[in-house]
Amino acid sequence: MSLPHAILTALVEKPSSGLELTRRFDKSIGYFWSATHQQIYRELGKLEADGLIRALPGGQPARGQKKSYEVLPAGRDELARWTAAPQDPKPLRDAMLLRLRAAAVVGTSGIEADLRRYLELHERQLAEYEEIEERDFPPGRDSTEDRLRHLVLRAGIDLETFWTQWLRHALAQFGELPDEGGRT
């Protein structure tokens, strides 16, 4: 996935300013594709220069005024092309997994405490996703858009469920390791 396509998706859903996009990323798309305010603005400029989006008519914004953007037909075509194109899954890159591998040869100092912190973070994220599911996807919301958005949320719920289960398992394994003196 790429940031331009995430922005195009958000703008097709609702024309927005850069600030509004940043807020929407923080509340939805950012759960699975994050971007900073600066990255979003930089990408908006590129998308506009490429003729995929345009600033909504309404005169030149004065300093401090929001400039809202909408997707042009070429942008919608690019998003449709990208959506239809096959893509391979990306390999998992996770620092904790690499740290565990390194701990096997240099010692486990600090890892167990961080696993507990990770577990707490993943439990919180899982609870947040479950709240969103209950609030935004009550029984009967079965339009194509709702089903696909719910499918994305379910991926988040299932991933957080996986991580919380795996972290509990990892912590149980740590409880069975011989004490190295520096473990915690």
Side-chain angles (χ1 to χ4, degrees):
M1 186 192 307
S2 67
L3 181 55
H5 297 102
I7 290 172
L8 286 171
T9 299
L11 290 174
V12 166
E13 292 173 344
K14 179 183 174 194
S16 304
S17 69
L19 181 58
E20 291 165 335
L21 280 172
T22 299
R23 289 180 180 147
R24 289 174 60 205
F25 265 69
D26 288 345
K27 293 180 182 176
S28 61
I29 291 174
Y31 286 121
F32 55 91
W33 192 264
S34 62
T36 66
H37 188 72
Q38 293 83 6
Q39 289 171 317
I40 289 171
Y41 273 96
R42 188 170 41 246
E43 202 57 52
L44 284 170
K46 290 178 189 174
L47 290 168
E48 188 173 29
D50 290 344
L52 302 178
I53 65 170
R54 71 174 179 149
L56 288 170
Q60 291 292 349
R63 184 167 171 79
Q65 280 186 316
K66 293 187 287 184
K67 185 177 181 181
S68 289
Y69 296 90
E70 68 180 354
V71 176
L72 295 171
R76 187 176 277 276
D77 290 346
E78 168 54 22
L79 188 57
R81 181 209 58 77
W82 176 79
T83 301
Q87 293 186 13
D88 292 335
K90 300 293 180 218
L92 177 63
R93 290 177 49 163
D94 187 276
M96 177 57 79
L97 298 177
L98 183 57
R99 289 172 60 208
L100 283 169
R101 182 73 182 248
V105 293
V106 298
T108 60
S109 180
I111 298 286
E112 187 173 6
D114 215 26
L115 285 170
R116 290 184 194 291
R117 188 179 67 82
Y118 268 44
L119 177 58
E120 194 175 300
L121 293 170
H122 282 287
E123 286 173 336
R124 250 187 277 156
Q125 190 64 67
L126 177 57
E128 186 176 341
Y129 285 164
E130 288 171 337
E131 281 178 32
I132 293 169
E133 182 178 44
E134 188 174 317
R135 180 191 70 220
D136 294 349
F137 297 100
R141 284 193 66 177
D142 62 352
S143 70
T144 299
E145 288 176 351
D146 286 335
R147 285 181 180 201
L148 293 175
R149 288 183 180 128
H150 192 195
L151 199 56
V152 172
L153 179 61
R154 282 302 319 174
I157 290 169
D158 292 347
L159 283 169
E160 293 303 328
T161 299
F162 161 78
W163 281 114
T164 56
Q165 290 173 349
W166 180 84
L167 286 159
R168 286 184 190 113
H169 175 75
L171 285 163
Q173 291 294 310
F174 258 78
E176 298 174 8
L177 294 176
D179 189 14
E180 296 179 2
R183 207 177 90 220
T184 57

